[in-house]
Amino acid sequence: MTLDISSAPIASDTTDHAPPGPDARVRWAQDLSASLVVFLIAVPFSLGIALATGAPLTAGLAAAAVGGIVVGLFGGTALMVSGPSAALTVITAGLIARYGWQATCAVTLAAGLLQLLLGVRRVARTALAVSPAIVHGMLAGVGLTIAIAQLHVVLGGSPQSSAIANLLALPGQLAGPHPPALLVGTVTVAVLLGWPRLGRLPGPAGRLGARLAKVPGPLAAVALATGLALALGLRLAHIELPAWQPHSFVPALPHGPVLELVAAVLTVTAVASVESLLSAVAIDRMSRRTGDLDRELRGQGLANLVSGLIGGLPIAGGAVRSTANVQAGARTRWASVLHGVWVLAAALALTGGLRRIPLAALAALVLVVGLQMVSFAHIRNVHRHREFPVYLTTVVAVVAAGVLWGVAIGAGTAVLLALYRLTRAHVDVETGPDGSVTVQTHGPLTFTAVPRLSRALAGVPAGAEVTVVHDGSFLDHAAYETLHSWRTGHQDAGGRVSMVTRRQDDEVLDPDGTVRTGSSPGPHRCRAWTPWVGHHCIEQQEDPHGRLLDGVQMFQLHTAPLIRPELARLAREGQTPSQLFLTCADSRMVTSMITNSGPGDLFTVRNVGNLVPAPFEPGAADDSVAAAVQYAVEVLEVRSITVCGHSGCGAMKALLDGVHELPGPPTPLARWLRNGRGSLDRLRRVPAEFTSRPVADPVEQLCITNVVQQLDQLMANPAVERRVEEGTLRLVGMYFDFATAQAYVLDRAAGTFSPVEARAGGQHDRTSAERVTTDGRVTAGGGEEGARLAA
């Protein structure tokens, strides 16, 4: 697979390890502020999750502290915050009811060890292969299960052992609610839902509401509900924080069938890992970073190991806390670590205050969180991709049978749906004005499609001239025999049959695979722009403009319908590329081909010689490149800039020939080439080299040396220099050799270019000077961390 070097996002940790500078104090201030915001959200949320599972409430705080500190230090997604997980609530509650609390701690510990092993084996990205419909359905089912159980607490009762039991007991609970608990729960829900809308009030009330809305909604809801209960003197059940007794939290081996215990560990591992990895991907997109998913999985495993040892709940990365962390302005992983420190301090110092919180307030908080896990945005997205049956089946199965069975049933539904689509074919019969018949098939023709195909062919009039067009999908033996048997019979009856296969590139083939003469549209046999792979066709097209229009027509006919939805989305949302790709204007450089990119991926700048004039340089030919760089860095906020040279560059030949120094008034080309004088100077001092082969000639040596020089000239741009020093922008050098179709990547420390090696099976490419991990992380041969390249 071609290495998409242009898509190289910065490493997720570059911000964390940025060199000390004038902004270091600002970063620490932002991290401190964000950690306090997340802490205020995490405390009530952790207590509510512990309440919902039936675990000691201190277990929720312990898990929040461990998740913040351990995952914050060792995880691979800098801005994600981990802690007790709502998705694990039902599973944990079932484990506690089945085995007891200490045995549940042992299961958490074992799940952590398994996550560590999976992270070491670098299988994190395998978890992302789970259908999004199953993941969202699982979360929605868990959310409904939580909400139904906590509704009993809000009404003043106690939850039952299962979601079905809770549903059956709900009518009786609704008939006789406990008014004080219902009042506190209603106030909590009202504050939670209304708090973000305070800033929308008109006039001075809106300004005051905007200030109040800066306080996290969960904290405000629980605080106001607690204050109301104290003010009215309501008799309510309050949370109980038992004294910390280490012996009561030591994990104990659970007793039960071995297979059942193994299934419990695998379930906790799978749910915690998938939720953490999906949250990591979402937070990376939100923060415009790219993390190390295997490192994240190892961090989650270490946190669950520690949490199980000290008596904490199972831990996973959480979207709610992580989103709040990003929106609060966190810059590094220290925001998560500090949040964990504050939770630990609260658990030790604020015990008396926490005991005043009514259980109904925490139950209402968890009820709202559970309902919010049923996302209508997810439902619309799943429906748009025709996966709603999988989603709905998973939701119902999770509520009725639990998470493990629910996910298994959802996965089975997804497999059946995929098989149904793979075996479903359409057969269309069209009759032309001259009586000719065209039979078009769409989709794989297998034995399951034979009845439908036979009915369609049976309706063709005897003696008609028929063209059977297959779209190139799979054709099994049963369908092949059906087609050819009918063809023989139709021809014996006096009819004529042409059987062709139309591939996606619009070539029409006979069944033996040969291209039919004259089948390509247009005035010549080659398609509009296929001369670049069949140069003999160029002479057949005398009008270049006609070839251009033919290409546009082919685009409108074949390509536009396929990419129209994506281009429409880009038109609505605007461009958000993460890479600036600066290369030569040479017609042989096809950037989208060598980077395997598409619309919206690259912000591309092309000029003669891929030159970067230094900003404000006296006598510079123009400011267009500097303007493009400034726009990309400051407005689009790209994360990497790649300068790509190529072999046989005419601009480099002209520089070596001294075109820019010819006597007389300089031409526009000569003035422009003067921006490459620094490359000539570098060629004389420290010419760049290849690691795997000698340079072919002086022109090639100047071509690769010019790439190194242009990267240095980029640093003369103040915006680029600032972003690079912050660690939010990476500069990449690249060279492409046309004769061998080989790309090379620059190791800036050594000043050498190493080949990008193609690896089969869709794995990440690598150079001989760089090691690419399975999640796309590139480390230099000397052991220093390099860019993270996404293939």
Side-chain angles (χ1 to χ4, degrees):
M1 185 165 86
T2 304
L3 177 64
D4 188 358
I5 188 70
S6 65
S7 300
I10 61 171
S12 66
D13 293 335
T14 49
T15 319
D16 304 329
H17 304 296
D23 293 334
R25 205 172 297 171
V26 175
R27 288 198 296 271
W28 271 103
Q30 289 177 314
D31 285 340
L32 178 61
S33 174
S35 71
L36 292 172
V37 172
V38 180
F39 157 71
L40 295 176
I41 295 174
V43 169
F45 186 74
S46 302
L47 292 173
I49 294 296
L51 171 69
T53 61
L57 296 186
T58 48
L61 297 177
V66 171
I69 297 172
V70 176
V71 182
L73 289 173
F74 300 103
T77 305
L79 300 187
M80 191 165 77
V81 181
S82 299
S85 165
L88 287 164
T89 301
V90 177
I91 300 171
T92 308
L95 291 175
I96 294 173
R98 175 73 174 82
Y99 302 110
W101 170 240
Q102 289 178 293
T104 301
C105 291
V107 172
T108 302
L109 188 154
L113 288 173
L114 185 54
Q115 284 181 306
L116 274 173
L117 177 62
L118 294 175
V120 170
R121 297 296 299 172
R122 300 189 178 280
V123 298
R125 289 192 177 272
T126 306
L128 301 182
V130 180
S131 168
I134 297 175
V135 175
H136 297 320
M138 179 198 72
L139 294 177
V142 168
L144 289 175
T145 303
I146 293 172
I148 296 168
Q150 296 311 301
L151 182 57
H152 282 273
V153 181
V154 171
L155 294 172
S158 300
Q160 305 298 315
S161 58
S162 67
I164 300 298
N166 281 320
L167 282 172
L168 294 176
L170 192 57
Q173 190 69 63
L174 289 170
H178 184 242
L182 182 59
L183 173 62
V184 169
T186 303
V187 169
T188 305
V189 172
V191 174
L192 274 172
L193 298 179
W195 198 257
R197 296 175 172 82
L198 291 178
R200 304 177 189 174
L201 297 174
R207 291 191 292 271
L208 176 61
R211 296 192 190 98
L212 291 175
K214 294 180 179 179
V215 178
L219 178 69
V222 172
L224 290 174
T226 303
L228 177 65
L230 293 174
L232 298 179
L234 300 177
R235 298 175 60 87
L236 291 167
H238 293 78
I239 69 172
E240 297 179 4
L241 294 177
W244 192 271
Q245 298 174 349
H247 67 274
S248 64
F249 293 99
V250 174
L253 290 177
H255 299 287
V258 175
L259 291 179
E260 195 175 286
L261 296 174
V262 170
V265 173
L266 291 177
T267 302
V268 173
T269 303
V271 175
S273 300
V274 171
E275 185 188 11
S276 298
L277 294 175
L278 291 176
S279 297
V281 172
I283 295 305
D284 278 338
R285 289 174 182 169
M286 184 184 302
S287 59
R288 299 174 68 98
R289 303 180 182 214
T290 298
D292 183 340
L293 294 183
D294 287 308
R295 178 180 172 184
E296 180 62 37
L297 190 55
R298 293 193 296 272
Q300 295 290 338
L302 184 60
N304 274 311
L305 191 153
V306 174
S307 185
L309 282 174
I310 68 171
L313 290 171
I315 290 171
V320 175
R321 291 173 295 244
S322 302
T323 301
N325 192 40
V326 173
Q327 293 177 345
R331 299 292 297 277
T332 72
R333 62 179 64 250
W334 288 106
S336 175
V337 175
L338 289 173
H339 130 270
V341 173
W342 308 144
V343 172
L344 181 61
L348 298 176
L350 301 179
T351 304
L354 295 177
R355 285 197 176 100
R356 297 179 180 272
I357 300 176
L359 289 181
L362 291 180
L365 169 63
V366 179
L367 184 149
V368 172
V369 171
L371 291 177
Q372 289 174 342
M373 292 171 70
V374 185
S375 170
F376 288 101
H378 289 159
I379 293 174
R380 286 193 297 270
N381 190 40
V382 166
H383 186 269
R384 186 166 63 249
H385 290 87
R386 299 187 302 160
E387 296 286 335
F388 185 74
V390 178
Y391 175 89
L392 183 60
T393 301
T394 306
V395 172
V396 174
V398 167
V399 173
V403 174
L404 183 60
W405 280 105
V407 171
I409 293 172
T413 305
V415 171
L416 292 175
L417 186 62
L419 289 175
Y420 170 76
R421 289 172 177 168
L422 286 174
T423 57
R424 183 170 176 80
H426 295 278
V427 182
D428 298 324
V429 180
E430 299 176 0
T431 303
D434 57 352
S436 63
V437 178
T438 300
V439 179
Q440 292 191 342
T441 68
H442 309 277
L445 288 181
T446 65
F447 64 94
T448 61
V450 167
R452 187 179 304 110
L453 180 63
S454 299
R455 284 195 299 270
L457 296 176
V460 175
E465 181 175 347
V466 183
T467 301
V468 179
V469 182
H470 184 41
D471 66 359
S473 299
F474 179 72
L475 180 72
D476 77 353
H477 186 246
Y480 178 86
E481 287 292 340
T482 300
L483 280 170
H484 281 269
S485 297
W486 172 84
R487 180 186 190 183
T488 301
H490 190 77
Q491 289 176 336
D492 290 343
R496 296 179 57 190
V497 179
S498 299
M499 300 182 66
V500 298
T501 301
R502 186 178 299 275
R503 300 194 310 208
Q504 287 186 353
D505 58 4
D506 212 56
E507 286 181 341
V508 178
L509 294 86
D510 284 323
D512 62 357
T514 58
V515 180
R516 289 180 56 185
T517 303
S519 62
S520 292
H524 51 87
R525 287 184 57 189
C526 292
R527 291 178 58 203
W529 288 105
T530 54
W532 76 270
V533 294
H535 59 87
H536 57 278
C537 298
I538 295 178
E539 296 178 357
Q540 299 182 20
Q541 175 63 281
E542 297 180 357
D543 180 12
H545 181 63
R547 186 162 73 244
L548 178 67
L549 290 181
D550 284 346
V552 175
Q553 290 173 351
M554 294 303 298
F555 166 81
Q556 294 297 150
L557 179 62
H558 297 287
T559 308
L562 300 177
I563 66 172
R564 187 171 287 119
E566 178 64 14
L567 291 182
R569 182 189 66 81
L570 292 172
R572 291 192 306 270
E573 301 176 3
Q575 61 169 332
T576 56
S578 57
Q579 294 84 24
L580 165 62
F581 197 83
L582 196 153
T583 189
C584 186
D586 193 297
S587 63
R588 297 168 293 180
M589 278 295 293
V590 184
T591 58
S592 59
M593 179 177 67
I594 67 173
T595 62
N596 199 25
S597 56
D601 291 339
L602 302 181
F603 185 72
T604 306
V605 175
R606 303 181 67 147
N607 62 51
V608 175
N610 46 272
L611 300 175
V612 184
F616 318 118
E617 180 180 347
D622 60 57
D623 291 328
S624 63
V625 177
V629 171
Q630 181 181 0
Y631 183 77
V633 172
E634 296 184 348
V635 178
L636 299 178
E637 297 182 345
V638 297
R639 303 195 301 266
S640 73
I641 301 178
T642 298
V643 175
C644 182
H646 65 87
S647 59
C649 181
M652 298 301 104
K653 292 178 182 177
L655 277 173
L656 286 175
D657 293 340
V659 171
H660 59 294
E661 302 291 358
L662 292 177
T667 64
L669 179 60
R671 286 199 304 273
W672 173 254
L673 289 177
R674 288 176 181 175
N675 294 302
R677 287 178 293 192
S679 300
L680 288 173
D681 293 340
R682 181 182 286 269
L683 180 67
R684 289 188 288 268
R685 293 183 289 105
V686 281
E689 302 285 350
F690 293 104
T691 59
S692 58
R693 65 174 179 85
V695 294
D697 51 43
V699 174
E700 184 174 63
Q701 191 144 47
L702 180 57
C703 287
I704 60 176
T705 303
N706 178 60
V707 171
V708 182
Q709 178 64 26
Q710 300 314 310
L711 291 175
D712 285 352
Q713 291 180 193
L714 266 173
M715 286 295 290
N717 188 304
V720 173
E721 182 182 22
R722 173 180 56 80
R723 289 278 308 280
V724 170
E725 288 181 352
E726 289 177 354
T728 59
L729 179 67
R730 178 173 174 81
L731 305 184
V732 180
M734 184 177 171
Y735 174 77
F736 188 76
D737 181 45
F738 291 128
T740 60
Q742 178 63 59
Y744 297 82
V745 179
L746 170 65
D747 181 342
R748 295 191 67 190
T752 57
F753 285 79
S754 302
V756 176
E757 299 174 359
R759 297 178 63 187
Q763 298 295 320
H764 289 277
D765 300 339
R766 65 181 180 183
T767 69
S768 58
E770 295 178 321
R771 176 176 60 83
V772 184
T773 63
T774 54
D775 67 329
R777 181 167 54 86
V778 181
T779 55
E784 298 178 358
E785 182 165 314
R788 297 176 192 247
L789 305 181

